Amino acid sequence: MQISEGDKNKIDRTLQFTGKVSVKLYENDVEGDDYLGQQVLEPGGKDGIMEFTKDGAKYRLSYKLT
């Protein structure tokens, strides 16, 4: 999936997990993938928004936990 500045894309995907899960974000780059960070989600947590800002990039990922 290619994303340009200002784009919004919906990732309509459900994942089941038990225990903690680590969400890592990489930016696919011509010179190699850039690691932008990670955040950990735990069962029983609240819905929210993750923000990844590094090396001039800015990504927001909203999520729902059920």
Side-chain angles (χ1 to χ4, degrees), residues 1 3 7 10 12 15 20 26 34-35 37-39 44-45 52 56 63:
M1 170 185 322
I3 301 173
D7 284 354
K10 183 175 183 177
D12 191 16
L15 300 171
K20 296 179 182 180
Y26 290 84
D34 296 330
Y35 173 70
Q38 75 177 12
Q39 295 194 18
F52 298 91
Y63 61 91

Side-chain angles (χ1 to χ4, degrees), residues 18-57:
T18 57
K20 296 179 182 180
V21 64
S22 179
V23 178
K24 297 178 183 180
L25 185 69
Y26 290 84
E27 184 178 58
N28 188 359
D29 199 346
V30 175
E31 299 173 4
D33 297 343
D34 296 330
Y35 173 70
L36 300 178
Q38 75 177 12
Q39 295 194 18
V40 176
L41 299 177
E42 297 186 36
K46 297 181 179 179
D47 300 346
I49 297 175
M50 296 178 188
E51 292 193 357
F52 298 91
T53 56
K54 189 173 179 181
D55 297 335

Side-chain angles (χ1 to χ4, degrees), residues 1 8-13:
M1 170 185 322
K8 293 181 182 182
N9 288 310
K10 183 175 183 177
I11 303 170
D12 191 16
R13 184 161 182 190

